[in-house]
């Protein structure tokens, strides 16, 4: 089974949509944190925040790409 196969099975479930929305909201909150100097006032905080944004973005893109990929015929 591939990620695309799994997402195809989960795609219409309300719970899965809630999880995807939560991940997007968390990424958006991290992006807002860049506007607060207390979250980026030293290199470690900035690196942590940018790592969180990168990780959440990668998850979102992977889920979206898997949804648009058509499963290969067997």
């Amino acid at each position: 089974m591939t990620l695309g196969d799994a997402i195809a099975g989960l795609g219409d479930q309300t719970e899965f949509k809630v999880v995807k929305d939560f991940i997007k909201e968390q990424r958006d909150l991290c992006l807002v944190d860049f506007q607060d100097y207390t979250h980026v006032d030293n290199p470690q905080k900035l690196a942590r925040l940018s790592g969180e944004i990168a990780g959440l973005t990668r998850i979102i893109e992977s889920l979206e790409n898997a949804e648009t990929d058509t499963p290969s015929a067997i």
Side-chain angles (χ1 to χ4, degrees), residues 1-47:
M1 176 179 279
T2 65
L3 180 61
D5 296 336
I7 289 175
L10 295 172
D12 292 334
Q13 293 185 15
T14 304
E15 294 85 352
F16 184 60
K17 292 177 183 177
V18 169
V19 170
K20 288 192 314 185
D21 289 341
F22 175 77
I23 294 169
K24 289 177 183 179
E25 288 172 9
Q26 291 302 304
R27 184 196 52 187
D28 292 343
L29 288 173
C30 288
L31 290 170
V32 169
D33 284 346
F34 271 114
Q35 297 174 0
D36 184 353
Y37 75 93
T38 62
H39 293 284
V40 293
D41 62 352
N42 70 52
Q44 291 81 14
K45 288 181 183 179
L46 182 59

Side-chain angles (χ1 to χ4, degrees), residues 51-68:
E52 285 183 32
I53 292 169
L56 292 167
T57 300
R58 184 173 294 167
I59 292 169
I60 292 166
E61 289 174 354
S62 295
L63 293 175
E64 288 173 351
N65 289 340
E67 286 178 330
T68 59

